[in-house]
C-alpha cells in the first residue's frame, strides 16, 4: 500500500541505495524504485525503457540501455 506521502531526506541517493534492500532498484540518477511499485516496463527508442509505476508521478522514469539488462534481471528475482 502506497499512501502517496512525500518525504525529504538528508542523505544522497547513493547513500540511500546502499541502505535499501534488494527490493529497490536504482533506475537512474534521480530515482530509486520499489519493486512493488513497478507496473510495466515499456521499450523506448534506442534500447531505453520507461517504467510505469503504481504511484502518481508526473515524470517519465527512463532506464538507460546500459541499465536495462540489470533491470530485467532484478525484475525476474521477485
Amino acid at each position: 500500500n502506497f499512501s502517496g506521502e512525500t518525504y525529504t531526506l538528508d542523505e544522497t541517493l547513493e547513500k540511500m541505495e546502499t541502505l535499501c534492500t534488494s527490493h529497490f532498484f536504482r533506475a537512474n540518477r534521480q530515482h530509486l524504485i520499489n519493486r512493488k511499485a513497478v507496473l510495466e516496463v515499456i521499450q523506448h527508442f534506442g534500447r531505453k525503457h520507461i517504467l510505469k509505476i503504481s504511484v502518481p508521478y508526473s515524470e517519465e522514469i527512463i532506464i538507460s540501455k546500459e541499465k536495462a539488462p540489470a533491470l530485467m534481471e532484478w525484475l525476474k528475482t521477485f
Side-chain angles (χ1 to χ4, degrees):
N1 182 9
F2 296 94
S3 66
E5 295 179 50
T6 60
Y7 300 92
T8 302
L9 303 173
D10 292 331
E11 300 294 341
T12 64
L13 201 56
E14 289 80 18
K15 177 70 173 176
M16 293 306 300
E17 183 180 15
T18 63
L19 297 173
C20 290
T21 67
S22 63
H23 292 279
F24 288 84
F25 181 80
R26 179 73 180 267
N28 53 41
R29 292 182 182 178
Q30 295 84 23
H31 302 98
L32 192 59
I33 305 297
N34 184 311
R35 174 60 184 100
K36 292 179 182 178
V38 177
L39 294 176
E40 184 178 11
V41 179
I42 301 168
Q43 273 198 302
H44 194 55
F45 298 108
R47 295 185 298 166
K48 293 180 182 179
H49 292 75
I50 295 176
L51 285 182
K52 296 294 180 185
I53 58 174
S54 62
V55 293
Y57 192 67
S58 60
E59 296 178 34
E60 285 187 335
I61 300 173
I62 298 175
I63 308 296
S64 69
K65 63 183 177 183
E66 292 81 17
K67 281 210 169 235
L71 170 70
M72 296 308 178
E73 213 38 55
W74 175 72
L75 290 171
K76 288 180 191 177
T77 63
F78 295 97

